[in-house]
Amino acid sequence: MLQSQFEVDRVEEEAKKLGVGINRALYRDISFLINNQDDLSNGSPRVLVKGEEVNEKNTYGLWFRVAGTKSGKYTEGRNLVIRILRDKVFCCNHDGYLRWVRMGKIPQHGVFVENDIPVVPSRLFYTKDQVINAIGEMEREWGWPIIAKHEKGYQGKTVKKFDNRKELEKFVEKIKEINVGLFLWQKCLSTKWDLRVIVLDGKAIGAMKRTAKGKEFRSNFSLGGEVEKWELSESDRALAEKVARVCGLDYCGVDIMKNSKIKDQRSKLGDSDCFREEDYDSYVLEVNRQCQFKGFEMATGINVAKMVVEMLIKGR
């Protein structure tokens, strides 16, 4: 089901090589027949895609993509599919979807902290006055810049950086009071690069380094960040796998950022030649349970699409 055309095309391409048929569908192509299990006249609940029933006889597994609507009807529909089929057909990320209909940055941080997963120091407020009154404290604790991230942001598009109090106050003035609680305020780590680790079927299959270019501070591949293969340390491998496990995800991308333990190392942080694993702490920025992998395949040479298909076949 569709998010990025690239990912869907690649999965279909690899499935064909393995002799597996793919039924691509939009969420609006789904319909349901909902009956009690013991209703002999109507049979058990059924899921139909384009009018055809989906069951264990004709389906290996389901791989869901973003189900974004303001009404939430498609996310609820996705979860109804999972509730009806999960005991018969492998539904990728079923546990995570049922725990969190929408897994934004704020609930993620709650899960991370609850499970002792390291996160960037953050603050959360619900009124403009709370933000303004805390600026001095954030400045003393973190210094400048300060980062703001929208709870439902994606691909780095809603991440903002403020270099001083005036910039931050101007931004706060523009926010509607009702939306203040949708932002995470965070310390800005001086590293201009981070790691994207893909975890599939419980195992970290590899990692790429994403580096912000020029004046852009965000390292996302979709925003022009450079990507290259990265050799995962055992500690970061274990960290990424733990994130996937505690979030109930069979497939996800875990974003890890490094921060130097050594003071006054800002000028060297972006230089791989200066990197020594033992000099850095790792922080989990977020987990993306429908992560795109174009840049990842390009940087690492790992055939993610094939591994997704193999996971779906195995899951049956």
Side-chain angles (χ1 to χ4, degrees):
M1 295 178 184
L2 191 59
Q3 175 196 26
S4 164
Q5 191 71 30
F6 175 84
E7 281 70 33
V8 178
D9 287 345
R10 284 284 296 117
V11 168
E12 183 172 28
E13 175 186 345
E14 293 301 327
K16 287 181 178 179
K17 292 179 182 178
L18 294 171
V20 177
I22 291 287
N23 185 1
R24 296 169 63 153
L26 300 175
Y27 284 97
R28 67 187 183 194
D29 295 326
I30 301 172
S31 60
F32 300 91
L33 294 176
I34 303 175
N35 307 297
N36 294 321
Q37 293 282 354
D38 58 354
D39 188 340
L40 299 179
S41 62
N42 293 304
S44 59
R46 288 185 285 168
V47 177
L48 294 89
V49 174
K50 302 175 184 176
E52 180 182 355
E53 182 179 358
V54 177
N55 55 47
E56 66 274 23
K57 296 178 181 178
N58 60 17
T59 304
Y60 282 113
L62 299 173
W63 189 53
F64 300 95
R65 306 306 286 158
V66 168
T69 59
K70 290 184 179 180
S71 68
K73 63 183 179 183
Y74 291 145
T75 55
E76 294 295 345
R78 175 200 62 208
N79 283 10
L80 184 54
V81 169
I82 292 170
R83 292 182 191 282
I84 293 173
L85 293 179
R86 61 178 167 171
D87 293 332
K88 304 173 183 177
V89 175
F90 175 67
C91 298
C92 184
N93 288 347
H94 65 277
D95 189 22
Y97 287 132
L98 294 182
R99 287 197 223 171
W100 301 281
V101 175
R102 296 179 184 271
M103 196 178 189
K105 293 177 175 57
I106 293 173
Q108 284 187 28
H109 275 65
V111 175
F112 296 160
V113 171
E114 183 182 22
N115 289 277
D116 296 321
I117 292 169
V119 297
V120 177
S122 306
R123 301 287 293 269
L124 177 64
F125 308 101
Y126 289 101
T127 69
K128 292 184 178 184
D129 285 344
Q130 287 176 341
V131 182
I132 298 300
N133 292 338
I135 291 177
E137 186 177 346
M138 290 189 288
E139 180 180 6
R140 288 190 296 274
E141 291 182 3
W142 303 342
W144 297 99
I146 290 174
I147 298 293
K149 294 181 177 179
H150 193 280
E151 143 79 0
K152 293 183 175 66
Y154 62 96
Q155 296 180 348
K157 294 178 180 178
T158 61
V159 179
K160 307 293 183 182
K161 182 176 74 169
F162 309 103
D163 292 318
N164 52 61
R165 184 184 186 102
K166 184 177 180 180
E167 290 181 1
L168 197 154
E169 288 179 340
K170 185 177 180 180
F171 177 74
V172 172
E173 280 303 310
K174 294 180 179 179
I175 304 174
K176 292 181 180 180
E177 189 87 24
I178 196 173
N179 293 330
V180 172
L182 296 176
F183 287 88
L184 274 173
W185 306 85
Q186 294 186 323
K187 176 181 180 179
C188 181
L189 303 186
S190 43
T191 318
K192 288 193 68 175
W193 54 272
D194 64 11
L195 306 178
R196 161 59 62 86
V197 184
I198 289 185
V199 181
L200 197 151
D201 201 16
K203 301 295 182 182
I205 63 173
M208 70 173 176
K209 176 184 176 184
R210 307 183 299 188
T211 304
K213 300 306 295 180
K215 295 182 179 180
E216 178 58 69
F217 70 97
R218 296 165 295 184
S219 60
N220 303 70
F221 177 67
S222 59
L223 295 175
E226 284 192 354
V227 295
E228 59 183 287
K229 185 176 181 179
W230 182 266
E231 294 300 326
L232 264 180
S233 66
E234 286 305 310
S235 59
D236 283 344
R237 180 182 301 276
L239 178 60
E241 291 174 355
K242 181 178 180 180
V243 169
R245 185 171 64 255
V246 301
C247 293
L249 302 176
D250 307 294
Y251 169 83
C252 64
V254 180
D255 294 342
I256 297 174
M257 197 164 190
K258 298 288 190 176
N259 195 47
S260 178
K261 298 177 183 177
I262 304 170
K263 293 182 178 180
D264 302 321
Q265 285 287 82
R266 288 177 177 264
S267 63
K268 296 182 179 181
L269 287 170
D271 187 348
S272 296
D273 294 335
C274 300
F275 182 84
R276 294 196 313 163
E277 188 75 43
E278 60 269 27
D279 292 338
Y280 289 76
D281 289 316
S282 295
Y283 297 92
V284 174
L285 299 179
E286 64 180 303
V287 59
N288 186 327
R289 57 189 182 184
Q290 293 128 343
C291 74
Q292 300 181 29
F293 55 74
K294 182 176 182 178
F296 188 93
E297 285 195 335
M298 182 176 72
T300 66
I302 296 171
N303 191 333
V304 180
K306 181 180 179 182
M307 297 180 75
V308 168
V309 177
E310 290 173 339
M311 174 183 64
L312 294 175
I313 295 172
K314 172 187 172 184
R316 186 177 187 183

